[in-house]
Structures are given as structure tokens and as C-alpha cells.
Amino acid sequence: MLDFLKTDPIAFTIPIGENGFPIFWYGILVTIGIAIGAWWAVREIARRNQNVDEFYNGLILVVFVGYLFARLTYVLLDVIDGNSGQYSGIIDVLNIRSGGVNILGGFVGAFLAAVIFMRWRRLNFWHYADVAGPALLIAQAIGRWGNFINQELYGPPTELPWGITIDPRFRLPQFADLSVYPVETRFHPTFLYESLWLLLGFIILLVLNARYRDQWRPGTLFGLFLVWWGGGRTWIEFFRPDQPAIGGSAITYSMITALLIALVGVVILLQRYDRLPETGAAARRRRRRTMKPKPRRTEQ
């Protein structure tokens, strides 16, 4: 169904150097996704009466650190999976153009960078987090189509009508035997599953935000984003034969990370609305506040 959309991963080549400098569709689509996400986030941050310039400053830092962590996480998982031989030096490790990235690791790095930046600039963390969540959903929903062009991020074989064919040179080792998996074999379009899930989440969060922005406590939208994103990625991992698994199980490291992200979202929602059980110290502080004697009112 989607095979007619296949094209060369290289969009065009800049005539620089001996062989030129190729520009890949993947990078173009990721950049478009980030631009659209940032456009929406800037409009929303202005509605929340926060500093737009500070958002742009933080965005540059977060995107850079996020991609660095995404690449390092990908390399780490690749090494765990037994593919350490292809990384001969720091250049190979950091060269995003020579391999993949792991969005979950990138998110963790970007989150840490954002927390440090906002504490340094004394910004309201929850307002900025609320706009970052939906922005990431739409950015990744668009960027996932770069995986389709690269013929990656596909699942196991399927007979479903929306399955996609994968050229032999892009096949995972377990699907490389053409006597078992002929050229016409179709595979689950995992990229499409995730892209649709992310797009749906973006639309739902936009509708909820427009209706409840002034009623919800800051941080609510971010918590919902984590639950939606992490929960969806946990499910998507069952269609990711390219991911390193733990032992001989169907559980992958990314699946565990995604599930933890969803659970963090639940904790944030509970914390934002004071639904978490109080620790002993917190309970004592609350009792001291309630037991503090009120100042006497003197007659005038």
C-alpha cells in the first residue's frame, strides 16, 4: 500500500568536496518536524505569558543535547547487542550520519538539559514542559517518515494489506534469507504505527489543552504526554525486532525505558493534584502548618 512512496534516501547532494555532501530525507523530515513543533510551542508559551526568547534559547540547547544522548544511547545498545566492532573511535560514536539514534535516550538527555537550563534561568518548569510534550509528539510523528524512506523501523513479516516490502539490502539479518523471506515478503510498517499514535496523541492533547488550559494545574499536560508517549512506545516495542532484547525474552531495553516514562507521567499527575501518599517528613510539616497558632486579634 505504501510501496509507491519509496524514494532514494538522499534528497539531493551539495557539490562540495570530491564526492559532494549528500542531504538525506531523514534529516529534512526531522528538521521539518522540529520546526512545526517549535512553531506550535512558541504560540502556546505566549498564551501562558511565558518568555518566548528564553524558549528559543532553551530549544537550541535541548535539541543539541537530545541528539547527542540519542546517538550515545543507540551506540550503547548496539554494543550491548554485540556490534561493538563498527565503532573504532569517538568520531564513529558521535557520527549520527553513519548510524541511528535512540529517541528515548535523547528524551532523557534533553529533559536533564531542560531542567538545568530552567533552574539557571529561573523559569517556570511546568509551563515549558507542558508545551514541550505535544511539540515532541508532532515532531516525531513527522520524523518517523524518514525511517520509512530509509526502509528501517519495520516489524516482523505480515500478510496484512498495509504491510510494506523491504529491499534485501535493508533487511535485518534474521530476514535476509530470500529463500525463506522472498523479495515480495511484507513487513509490519512499525514506523506508521508509531507515527499515527503520535499524531493522534498530539491532536488529543491540543483539544484538551484548548479546553482546560486555564483549569488544569501546570504540568498536567506534560504528565499526560508522558503517559501517552511512554505507553504507546511500550506497545510499539513488540513490533521492533531491531531492538536489543533482555536475554532471550521479548522485553527490550527501550520497552523498559518507555514503561518507566509512562509511570513517571502517572506520578507527575498524582503529584500535581496532591494525590501521592505523604512521607513521614511531609506529614509532619503539614501538621506543623495546621497546628501553628493564629495571631491574636486585638480590639482597636
Side-chain angles (χ1 to χ4, degrees):
M1 183 178 68
L2 298 173
D3 290 340
F4 74 97
L5 293 174
K6 286 182 180 178
T7 186
D8 191 321
I10 299 177
F12 58 90
T13 301
I14 300 176
I16 298 177
E18 183 177 349
N19 299 316
F21 186 79
I23 302 298
F24 293 89
W25 279 112
Y26 181 88
I28 293 174
L29 289 170
V30 168
T31 301
I32 292 174
I34 292 174
I36 292 177
W39 173 79
W40 176 84
V42 166
R43 291 167 59 89
E44 179 60 25
I45 208 70
R47 292 190 186 100
R48 292 169 177 254
N49 298 317
Q50 303 300 306
N51 193 312
V52 172
D53 291 333
E54 291 286 16
F55 173 81
Y56 278 123
N57 293 335
L59 177 65
I60 296 172
L61 174 66
V62 165
V63 169
F64 176 79
V65 174
Y67 263 93
L68 177 62
F69 269 73
R71 177 59 180 170
L72 293 176
T73 304
Y74 176 89
V75 172
L76 175 62
L77 293 177
D78 209 24
V79 170
I80 291 175
D81 205 30
N83 300 317
S84 59
Q86 59 182 307
Y87 305 107
S88 58
I90 189 66
I91 299 299
D92 291 334
V93 171
L94 298 179
N95 186 9
I96 295 177
R97 292 172 63 89
S98 69
V101 293
N102 184 287
I103 187 64
L104 295 175
F107 173 75
V108 172
F111 178 80
L112 294 175
V115 170
I116 294 172
F117 176 79
M118 283 185 275
R119 287 180 64 89
W120 171 49
R121 302 301 296 171
R122 297 181 180 180
L123 303 173
N124 187 312
F125 172 81
W126 293 118
H127 278 301
Y128 288 86
D130 276 343
V131 304
L136 178 59
L137 290 179
I138 188 60
Q140 195 183 358
I142 295 172
R144 279 303 179 208
W145 284 87
N147 297 123
F148 168 70
I149 294 176
N150 288 347
Q151 296 195 53
E152 58 193 6
L153 192 54
Y154 57 89
T158 180
E159 295 182 358
L160 294 171
W162 55 80
I164 57 175
T165 59
I166 301 296
D167 295 346
R169 63 194 176 106
F170 296 118
R171 296 274 187 92
L172 295 170
Q174 59 266 43
F175 304 128
D177 189 345
L178 297 182
S179 65
V180 180
Y181 303 103
V183 175
E184 62 271 15
T185 301
R186 295 188 173 275
F187 298 86
H188 278 284
T190 310
F191 86 94
L192 179 63
Y193 300 158
E194 188 166 8
S195 180
L196 293 177
W197 179 262
L198 296 167
L199 180 61
L200 178 61
F202 176 71
I203 294 172
I204 290 175
L205 291 187
L206 253 63
V207 172
L208 292 175
N209 179 64
R211 182 170 182 178
Y212 298 109
R213 180 191 298 112
D214 299 328
Q215 303 174 39
W216 279 351
R217 295 182 182 181
T220 303
L221 203 65
F222 184 64
L224 291 174
F225 151 72
L226 292 179
V227 173
W228 183 273
W229 187 47
R233 181 57 185 261
T234 302
W235 167 71
I236 290 293
E237 281 299 306
F238 286 106
F239 296 89
R240 294 290 302 270
D242 60 317
Q243 293 292 296
I246 300 176
S249 69
I251 307 300
T252 67
Y253 294 95
S254 293
M255 185 183 297
I256 297 297
T257 304
L259 182 59
L260 290 175
I261 287 175
L263 292 176
V264 169
V266 173
V267 172
I268 288 175
L269 291 173
L270 294 174
Q271 186 273 335
R272 289 281 78 198
Y273 291 91
D274 303 320
R275 293 294 186 269
L276 287 176
E278 288 185 331
T279 63
R284 287 193 294 271
R285 286 195 298 269
R286 182 177 59 80
R287 284 197 296 268
R288 283 198 296 269
R289 288 197 300 267
T290 57
M291 295 174 62
K292 186 177 180 180
K294 296 181 180 179
R296 282 188 174 183
R297 180 181 178 185
T298 57
E299 297 292 337
Q300 298 296 325

